[in-house]
Amino acid sequence: MSSADDQNFGVQVDVRVRQADLGQDGWASTIGMARWLEDARIRLRLRRFERLTGTGGFGPYQILLVGQRVNRLAQAGPTGTRVQVHTGVRRVGRSSFTFEQAIVVGGKHVGSGDATVVLADNTGPLQLPDELIADLAEMQLPETGSSAAARPRPERLQRAHYLYWAPLRSRIGDVDSNQHVNFIALATWYDEAVAMFTSHSIGTNGAGSVPDLPPWSYQIQYLGEVTYPGDYEIGLTVRSVDTESVHYELGVFRDSTCLGVADAVGPLGKLTAEALETARAAD
């Protein structure tokens, strides 16, 4: 799924650009694109698995997203624009599977992503039933040698790794049917932390226009449940900087417990070397 010609890639689901999908620049945001990817996954039909669960042959279970990636590759919009989301299956394991997705507008590849899913009960991950594996096999993509995302480095789980902190409180509107904060809501928390850092670093702090520097790429791993009510902190460290972009490492914490991590890449904008150095990770 690396070109704009993937019109027949996987299963196509059409969505429309909504006002809530747009960022400050008037084009779809990275979080907006993440919502399209979620919409497409929810609308997939897994007929054998649905028959199995409908007759009580599997369950009870929860569908848990343990990791996702979303990349905003080009501008998409305005409101009402028809978007095609193509979804295939990249990897099927014993207890998890990974979707790979492409977003196409007018024949142009504007976004991409993937999502790793686990079925679990209160004892932990469940072995995937044969019926689900058969459904997933129908969407299997050509083998590319890709593997599951590596576990976070140990220091990513420690508060000492992060140099800037953004406090956040979970909201009842963030809670989904699994009774924890939804993964899209958590992605907006990382967006919020980057916005708070850039606003603080540039020196606006609520006075003047808000810096428009949201990340265009996220790779997120979910390590534990974020619940309501609760007070949390997002830790942020600048991993590296190049001529046009900043590479961030982020983590969501409740007290000393890390519940998720993210790697993000966003525009450099007006962030100065001095400001970035205050949150720069040690080599």
Side-chain angles (χ1 to χ4, degrees), residues 2 13-14 17 31 55 57 61 74 93 112 116 121 124 141 181 204 208 224 227 231-232 234-235 260 279 281:
S2 58
V13 171
D14 292 354
V17 179
I31 300 299
T55 59
Y61 68 95
S112 66
T116 298
D121 61 14
L141 302 174
V181 172
T204 56
T227 57
D231 291 307
Y232 297 87
I234 308 296

Side-chain angles (χ1 to χ4, degrees), residues 45-52 135:
R45 296 301 307 272
L46 302 169
R47 301 184 187 280
R48 299 176 185 84
F49 183 58
E50 290 168 5
R51 287 196 296 269
L52 177 68
D135 285 332

Side-chain angles (χ1 to χ4, degrees), residues 40-121:
R41 294 193 300 268
I42 289 172
R43 290 161 59 184
L44 290 174
R45 296 301 307 272
L46 302 169
R47 301 184 187 280
R48 299 176 185 84
F49 183 58
E50 290 168 5
R51 287 196 296 269
L52 177 68
T53 57
T55 59
F58 183 80
Y61 68 95
Q62 291 182 328
I63 300 173
L64 301 179
L65 194 72
V66 297
Q68 72 166 327
R69 177 181 57 87
V70 57
N71 296 318
R72 178 190 180 191
L73 303 176
Q75 294 176 337
T79 301
T81 299
R82 180 171 169 266
V83 175
Q84 299 88 48
V85 181
H86 300 264
T87 303
V89 173
R90 178 60 69 194
R91 187 188 66 86
V92 179
R94 180 172 171 272
S95 60
S96 67
F97 55 94
T98 299
F99 291 116
E100 187 166 343
Q101 298 177 279
I103 303 170
V104 177
V105 177
K108 183 179 181 180
H109 191 182
V110 300
S112 66
D114 58 44
T116 298
V117 177
V118 167
L119 306 185
D121 61 14

Side-chain angles (χ1 to χ4, degrees), residues 168-188:
L168 289 168
R169 174 170 292 180
S170 58
R171 302 162 297 183
I172 188 61
D174 297 334
V175 178
D176 63 17
S177 59
N178 287 332
Q179 298 302 306
H180 54 64
V181 172
N182 178 264
F183 64 89
I184 293 290
L186 277 175
T188 69

Side-chain angles (χ1 to χ4, degrees), residues 11 16-17 25 29-30 35 42 53 69 71 84 100 117 123 126 149-150 152 180 194 199 230 250 252 255-256:
V11 179
R16 295 281 181 178
V17 179
D25 60 0
S29 67
T30 308
R35 295 190 186 101
I42 289 172
T53 57
R69 177 181 57 87
N71 296 318
Q84 299 88 48
E100 187 166 343
V117 177
T123 67
L126 300 170
H180 54 64
V194 173
S199 180
L250 303 109
V252 56
D255 298 324
S256 61

Side-chain angles (χ1 to χ4, degrees), residues 66-68 149-152 190 219-223 259-263:
V66 297
Q68 72 166 327
R151 293 185 63 82
Y190 292 122
Q219 183 166 338
I220 302 172
Q221 295 186 62
Y222 304 93
L223 306 176
L259 300 170
V261 298
D263 295 277

